[in-house]
Amino acid sequence: MTGYTKDIELKMQRLFATLSEKDRRRYAAIEAAKLNHGGIEYISNLFTIDAKTVRRGLTELELPEDPAQSRVRKKAVDANT
């Protein structure tokens, strides 16, 4: 399996940090699918998420419709601000 350059990884991580929880799962799943064998482990390490999260994203992408289309968790508020 071939991964991404460090420059691209950094951009991917920056994008990932701006996404909702659901979108993070799905973005991670798409990237893992593009990499084929070993992609789930590579992406879960890159984004510091559990491989189960990537697998869940892959499963969600197979569904014809999003069962929780209007549900998106709000980002956590920093208690120090």
mmCIF file with all atom_site columns, all heavy atoms in Angstrom, residues 14-21 24 72-78:
data_model
loop_
_atom_site.group_PDB
_atom_site.id
_atom_site.type_symbol
_atom_site.label_atom_id
_atom_site.label_alt_id
_atom_site.label_comp_id
_atom_site.label_asym_id
_atom_site.label_entity_id
_atom_site.label_seq_id
_atom_site.pdbx_PDB_ins_code
_atom_site.Cartn_x
_atom_site.Cartn_y
_atom_site.Cartn_z
_atom_site.occupancy
_atom_site.B_iso_or_equiv
_atom_site.pdbx_formal_charge
_atom_site.auth_seq_id
_atom_site.auth_comp_id
_atom_site.auth_asym_id
_atom_site.auth_atom_id
_atom_site.pdbx_PDB_model_num
ATOM 1   N N   . ARG A 1 14 ? -5.838  18.636 8.785  1.00 0.00 ? 14 ARG A N   1
ATOM 2   C CA  . ARG A 1 14 ? -6.459  19.947 9.016  1.00 0.00 ? 14 ARG A CA  1
ATOM 3   C C   . ARG A 1 14 ? -7.929  19.931 8.606  1.00 0.00 ? 14 ARG A C   1
ATOM 4   O O   . ARG A 1 14 ? -8.786  20.449 9.320  1.00 0.00 ? 14 ARG A O   1
ATOM 5   C CB  . ARG A 1 14 ? -5.721  21.034 8.246  1.00 0.00 ? 14 ARG A CB  1
ATOM 6   C CG  . ARG A 1 14 ? -4.391  21.394 8.853  1.00 0.00 ? 14 ARG A CG  1
ATOM 7   C CD  . ARG A 1 14 ? -3.714  22.468 8.047  1.00 0.00 ? 14 ARG A CD  1
ATOM 8   N NE  . ARG A 1 14 ? -2.387  22.750 8.554  1.00 0.00 ? 14 ARG A NE  1
ATOM 9   C CZ  . ARG A 1 14 ? -1.426  23.312 7.848  1.00 0.00 ? 14 ARG A CZ  1
ATOM 10  N NH1 . ARG A 1 14 ? -1.653  23.676 6.596  1.00 0.00 ? 14 ARG A NH1 1
ATOM 11  N NH2 . ARG A 1 14 ? -0.252  23.536 8.381  1.00 0.00 ? 14 ARG A NH2 1
ATOM 12  N N   . LEU A 1 15 ? -8.215  19.344 7.456  1.00 0.00 ? 15 LEU A N   1
ATOM 13  C CA  . LEU A 1 15 ? -9.603  19.234 7.006  1.00 0.00 ? 15 LEU A CA  1
ATOM 14  C C   . LEU A 1 15 ? -10.402 18.378 7.980  1.00 0.00 ? 15 LEU A C   1
ATOM 15  O O   . LEU A 1 15 ? -11.495 18.754 8.402  1.00 0.00 ? 15 LEU A O   1
ATOM 16  C CB  . LEU A 1 15 ? -9.667  18.634 5.603  1.00 0.00 ? 15 LEU A CB  1
ATOM 17  C CG  . LEU A 1 15 ? -11.065 18.274 5.105  1.00 0.00 ? 15 LEU A CG  1
ATOM 18  C CD1 . LEU A 1 15 ? -11.943 19.514 4.995  1.00 0.00 ? 15 LEU A CD1 1
ATOM 19  C CD2 . LEU A 1 15 ? -10.992 17.548 3.783  1.00 0.00 ? 15 LEU A CD2 1
ATOM 20  N N   . PHE A 1 16 ? -9.853  17.235 8.343  1.00 0.00 ? 16 PHE A N   1
ATOM 21  C CA  . PHE A 1 16 ? -10.515 16.300 9.253  1.00 0.00 ? 16 PHE A CA  1
ATOM 22  C C   . PHE A 1 16 ? -10.934 16.988 10.550 1.00 0.00 ? 16 PHE A C   1
ATOM 23  O O   . PHE A 1 16 ? -12.026 16.773 11.052 1.00 0.00 ? 16 PHE A O   1
ATOM 24  C CB  . PHE A 1 16 ? -9.566  15.127 9.534  1.00 0.00 ? 16 PHE A CB  1
ATOM 25  C CG  . PHE A 1 16 ? -10.159 14.025 10.354 1.00 0.00 ? 16 PHE A CG  1
ATOM 26  C CD1 . PHE A 1 16 ? -10.967 13.071 9.777  1.00 0.00 ? 16 PHE A CD1 1
ATOM 27  C CD2 . PHE A 1 16 ? -9.887  13.926 11.713 1.00 0.00 ? 16 PHE A CD2 1
ATOM 28  C CE1 . PHE A 1 16 ? -11.499 12.034 10.527 1.00 0.00 ? 16 PHE A CE1 1
ATOM 29  C CE2 . PHE A 1 16 ? -10.414 12.903 12.477 1.00 0.00 ? 16 PHE A CE2 1
ATOM 30  C CZ  . PHE A 1 16 ? -11.224 11.958 11.883 1.00 0.00 ? 16 PHE A CZ  1
ATOM 31  N N   . ALA A 1 17 ? -10.079 17.851 11.066 1.00 0.00 ? 17 ALA A N   1
ATOM 32  C CA  . ALA A 1 17 ? -10.344 18.544 12.332 1.00 0.00 ? 17 ALA A CA  1
ATOM 33  C C   . ALA A 1 17 ? -11.535 19.500 12.238 1.00 0.00 ? 17 ALA A C   1
ATOM 34  O O   . ALA A 1 17 ? -12.142 19.825 13.258 1.00 0.00 ? 17 ALA A O   1
ATOM 35  C CB  . ALA A 1 17 ? -9.108  19.309 12.786 1.00 0.00 ? 17 ALA A CB  1
ATOM 36  N N   . THR A 1 18 ? -11.915 19.917 11.051 1.00 0.00 ? 18 THR A N   1
ATOM 37  C CA  . THR A 1 18 ? -13.021 20.862 10.891 1.00 0.00 ? 18 THR A CA  1
ATOM 38  C C   . THR A 1 18 ? -14.371 20.178 10.687 1.00 0.00 ? 18 THR A C   1
ATOM 39  O O   . THR A 1 18 ? -15.397 20.842 10.698 1.00 0.00 ? 18 THR A O   1
ATOM 40  C CB  . THR A 1 18 ? -12.783 21.796 9.689  1.00 0.00 ? 18 THR A CB  1
ATOM 41  O OG1 . THR A 1 18 ? -12.847 21.043 8.466  1.00 0.00 ? 18 THR A OG1 1
ATOM 42  C CG2 . THR A 1 18 ? -11.449 22.517 9.800  1.00 0.00 ? 18 THR A CG2 1
ATOM 43  N N   . LEU A 1 19 ? -14.364 18.874 10.499 1.00 0.00 ? 19 LEU A N   1
ATOM 44  C CA  . LEU A 1 19 ? -15.588 18.146 10.157 1.00 0.00 ? 19 LEU A CA  1
ATOM 45  C C   . LEU A 1 19 ? -16.378 17.719 11.389 1.00 0.00 ? 19 LEU A C   1
ATOM 46  O O   . LEU A 1 19 ? -15.823 17.562 12.478 1.00 0.00 ? 19 LEU A O   1
ATOM 47  C CB  . LEU A 1 19 ? -15.231 16.906 9.335  1.00 0.00 ? 19 LEU A CB  1
ATOM 48  C CG  . LEU A 1 19 ? -14.496 17.153 8.019  1.00 0.00 ? 19 LEU A CG  1
ATOM 49  C CD1 . LEU A 1 19 ? -14.084 15.825 7.398  1.00 0.00 ? 19 LEU A CD1 1
ATOM 50  C CD2 . LEU A 1 19 ? -15.336 17.968 7.059  1.00 0.00 ? 19 LEU A CD2 1
ATOM 51  N N   . SER A 1 20 ? -17.679 17.488 11.181 1.00 0.00 ? 20 SER A N   1
ATOM 52  C CA  . SER A 1 20 ? -18.519 16.926 12.236 1.00 0.00 ? 20 SER A CA  1
ATOM 53  C C   . SER A 1 20 ? -18.124 15.461 12.445 1.00 0.00 ? 20 SER A C   1
ATOM 54  O O   . SER A 1 20 ? -17.418 14.869 11.621 1.00 0.00 ? 20 SER A O   1
ATOM 55  C CB  . SER A 1 20 ? -19.998 17.000 11.841 1.00 0.00 ? 20 SER A CB  1
ATOM 56  O OG  . SER A 1 20 ? -20.269 16.093 10.782 1.00 0.00 ? 20 SER A OG  1
ATOM 57  N N   . GLU A 1 21 ? -18.593 14.878 13.517 1.00 0.00 ? 21 GLU A N   1
ATOM 58  C CA  . GLU A 1 21 ? -18.271 13.486 13.820 1.00 0.00 ? 21 GLU A CA  1
ATOM 59  C C   . GLU A 1 21 ? -18.669 12.548 12.679 1.00 0.00 ? 21 GLU A C   1
ATOM 60  O O   . GLU A 1 21 ? -17.891 11.670 12.270 1.00 0.00 ? 21 GLU A O   1
ATOM 61  C CB  . GLU A 1 21 ? -18.987 13.079 15.111 1.00 0.00 ? 21 GLU A CB  1
ATOM 62  C CG  . GLU A 1 21 ? -18.703 11.666 15.550 1.00 0.00 ? 21 GLU A CG  1
ATOM 63  C CD  . GLU A 1 21 ? -19.423 11.299 16.827 1.00 0.00 ? 21 GLU A CD  1
ATOM 64  O OE1 . GLU A 1 21 ? -19.868 12.191 17.558 1.00 0.00 ? 21 GLU A OE1 1
ATOM 65  O OE2 . GLU A 1 21 ? -19.531 10.096 17.092 1.00 0.00 ? 21 GLU A OE2 1
ATOM 66  N N   . ARG A 1 24 ? -16.469 13.106 9.664  1.00 0.00 ? 24 ARG A N   1
ATOM 67  C CA  . ARG A 1 24 ? -15.133 12.559 9.906  1.00 0.00 ? 24 ARG A CA  1
ATOM 68  C C   . ARG A 1 24 ? -15.101 11.075 9.590  1.00 0.00 ? 24 ARG A C   1
ATOM 69  O O   . ARG A 1 24 ? -14.184 10.583 8.949  1.00 0.00 ? 24 ARG A O   1
ATOM 70  C CB  . ARG A 1 24 ? -14.722 12.753 11.370 1.00 0.00 ? 24 ARG A CB  1
ATOM 71  C CG  . ARG A 1 24 ? -14.338 14.143 11.710 1.00 0.00 ? 24 ARG A CG  1
ATOM 72  C CD  . ARG A 1 24 ? -13.964 14.245 13.162 1.00 0.00 ? 24 ARG A CD  1
ATOM 73  N NE  . ARG A 1 24 ? -13.591 15.618 13.487 1.00 0.00 ? 24 ARG A NE  1
ATOM 74  C CZ  . ARG A 1 24 ? -12.892 15.967 14.536 1.00 0.00 ? 24 ARG A CZ  1
ATOM 75  N NH1 . ARG A 1 24 ? -12.487 15.064 15.396 1.00 0.00 ? 24 ARG A NH1 1
ATOM 76  N NH2 . ARG A 1 24 ? -12.595 17.224 14.739 1.00 0.00 ? 24 ARG A NH2 1
ATOM 77  N N   . VAL A 1 72 ? -26.577 15.859 13.654 1.00 0.00 ? 72 VAL A N   1
ATOM 78  C CA  . VAL A 1 72 ? -25.146 16.140 13.701 1.00 0.00 ? 72 VAL A CA  1
ATOM 79  C C   . VAL A 1 72 ? -24.840 16.673 15.082 1.00 0.00 ? 72 VAL A C   1
ATOM 80  O O   . VAL A 1 72 ? -25.480 17.617 15.548 1.00 0.00 ? 72 VAL A O   1
ATOM 81  C CB  . VAL A 1 72 ? -24.736 17.182 12.633 1.00 0.00 ? 72 VAL A CB  1
ATOM 82  C CG1 . VAL A 1 72 ? -23.256 17.527 12.768 1.00 0.00 ? 72 VAL A CG1 1
ATOM 83  C CG2 . VAL A 1 72 ? -25.034 16.683 11.235 1.00 0.00 ? 72 VAL A CG2 1
ATOM 84  N N   . ARG A 1 73 ? -23.885 16.058 15.753 1.00 0.00 ? 73 ARG A N   1
ATOM 85  C CA  . ARG A 1 73 ? -23.492 16.534 17.069 1.00 0.00 ? 73 ARG A CA  1
ATOM 86  C C   . ARG A 1 73 ? -22.763 17.854 16.952 1.00 0.00 ? 73 ARG A C   1
ATOM 87  O O   . ARG A 1 73 ? -21.982 18.064 16.045 1.00 0.00 ? 73 ARG A O   1
ATOM 88  C CB  . ARG A 1 73 ? -22.569 15.528 17.768 1.00 0.00 ? 73 ARG A CB  1
ATOM 89  C CG  . ARG A 1 73 ? -23.270 14.297 18.203 1.00 0.00 ? 73 ARG A CG  1
ATOM 90  C CD  . ARG A 1 73 ? -22.311 13.479 19.028 1.00 0.00 ? 73 ARG A CD  1
ATOM 91  N NE  . ARG A 1 73 ? -22.918 12.196 19.341 1.00 0.00 ? 73 ARG A NE  1
ATOM 92  C CZ  . ARG A 1 73 ? -22.315 11.265 20.042 1.00 0.00 ? 73 ARG A CZ  1
ATOM 93  N NH1 . ARG A 1 73 ? -21.089 11.468 20.484 1.00 0.00 ? 73 ARG A NH1 1
ATOM 94  N NH2 . ARG A 1 73 ? -22.912 10.131 20.302 1.00 0.00 ? 73 ARG A NH2 1
ATOM 95  N N   . LYS A 1 74 ? -23.012 18.712 17.922 1.00 0.00 ? 74 LYS A N   1
ATOM 96  C CA  . LYS A 1 74 ? -22.292 19.971 17.959 1.00 0.00 ? 74 LYS A CA  1
ATOM 97  C C   . LYS A 1 74 ? -20.885 19.717 18.470 1.00 0.00 ? 74 LYS A C   1
ATOM 98  O O   . LYS A 1 74 ? -20.648 18.787 19.238 1.00 0.00 ? 74 LYS A O   1
ATOM 99  C CB  . LYS A 1 74 ? -22.998 20.959 18.894 1.00 0.00 ? 74 LYS A CB  1
ATOM 100 C CG  . LYS A 1 74 ? -24.345 21.386 18.383 1.00 0.00 ? 74 LYS A CG  1
ATOM 101 C CD  . LYS A 1 74 ? -24.968 22.378 19.331 1.00 0.00 ? 74 LYS A CD  1
ATOM 102 C CE  . LYS A 1 74 ? -26.345 22.777 18.835 1.00 0.00 ? 74 LYS A CE  1
ATOM 103 N NZ  . LYS A 1 74 ? -26.986 23.713 19.739 1.00 0.00 ? 74 LYS A NZ  1
ATOM 104 N N   . LYS A 1 75 ? -19.957 20.550 18.034 1.00 0.00 ? 75 LYS A N   1
ATOM 105 C CA  . LYS A 1 75 ? -18.595 20.438 18.540 1.00 0.00 ? 75 LYS A CA  1
ATOM 106 C C   . LYS A 1 75 ? -18.562 20.766 20.020 1.00 0.00 ? 75 LYS A C   1
ATOM 107 O O   . LYS A 1 75 ? -19.324 21.601 20.481 1.00 0.00 ? 75 LYS A O   1
ATOM 108 C CB  . LYS A 1 75 ? -17.666 21.370 17.776 1.00 0.00 ? 75 LYS A CB  1
ATOM 109 C CG  . LYS A 1 75 ? -17.435 20.926 16.356 1.00 0.00 ? 75 LYS A CG  1
ATOM 110 C CD  . LYS A 1 75 ? -16.301 21.688 15.753 1.00 0.00 ? 75 LYS A CD  1
ATOM 111 C CE  . LYS A 1 75 ? -16.075 21.195 14.361 1.00 0.00 ? 75 LYS A CE  1
ATOM 112 N NZ  . LYS A 1 75 ? -14.753 20.771 14.103 1.00 0.00 ? 75 LYS A NZ  1
ATOM 113 N N   . ALA A 1 76 ? -17.668 20.119 20.730 1.00 0.00 ? 76 ALA A N   1
ATOM 114 C CA  . ALA A 1 76 ? -17.524 20.372 22.158 1.00 0.00 ? 76 ALA A CA  1
ATOM 115 C C   . ALA A 1 76 ? -17.029 21.797 22.373 1.00 0.00 ? 76 ALA A C   1
ATOM 116 O O   . ALA A 1 76 ? -16.171 22.285 21.652 1.00 0.00 ? 76 ALA A O   1
ATOM 117 C CB  . ALA A 1 76 ? -16.569 19.379 22.768 1.00 0.00 ? 76 ALA A CB  1
ATOM 118 N N   . VAL A 1 77 ? -17.549 22.438 23.390 1.00 0.00 ? 77 VAL A N   1
ATOM 119 C CA  . VAL A 1 77 ? -17.138 23.795 23.728 1.00 0.00 ? 77 VAL A CA  1
ATOM 120 C C   . VAL A 1 77 ? -15.984 23.697 24.709 1.00 0.00 ? 77 VAL A C   1
ATOM 121 O O   . VAL A 1 77 ? -16.041 22.961 25.689 1.00 0.00 ? 77 VAL A O   1
ATOM 122 C CB  . VAL A 1 77 ? -18.313 24.571 24.341 1.00 0.00 ? 77 VAL A CB  1
ATOM 123 C CG1 . VAL A 1 77 ? -17.862 25.963 24.762 1.00 0.00 ? 77 VAL A CG1 1
ATOM 124 C CG2 . VAL A 1 77 ? -19.472 24.650 23.378 1.00 0.00 ? 77 VAL A CG2 1
ATOM 125 N N   . ASP A 1 78 ? -14.949 24.457 24.445 1.00 0.00 ? 78 ASP A N   1
ATOM 126 C CA  . ASP A 1 78 ? -13.780 24.480 25.332 1.00 0.00 ? 78 ASP A CA  1
ATOM 127 C C   . ASP A 1 78 ? -14.152 25.213 26.619 1.00 0.00 ? 78 ASP A C   1
ATOM 128 O O   . ASP A 1 78 ? -14.565 26.354 26.581 1.00 0.00 ? 78 ASP A O   1
ATOM 129 C CB  . ASP A 1 78 ? -12.612 25.165 24.635 1.00 0.00 ? 78 ASP A CB  1
ATOM 130 C CG  . ASP A 1 78 ? -11.330 25.099 25.432 1.00 0.00 ? 78 ASP A CG  1
ATOM 131 O OD1 . ASP A 1 78 ? -11.331 24.503 26.531 1.00 0.00 ? 78 ASP A OD1 1
ATOM 132 O OD2 . ASP A 1 78 ? -10.323 25.622 24.954 1.00 0.00 ? 78 ASP A OD2 1
#
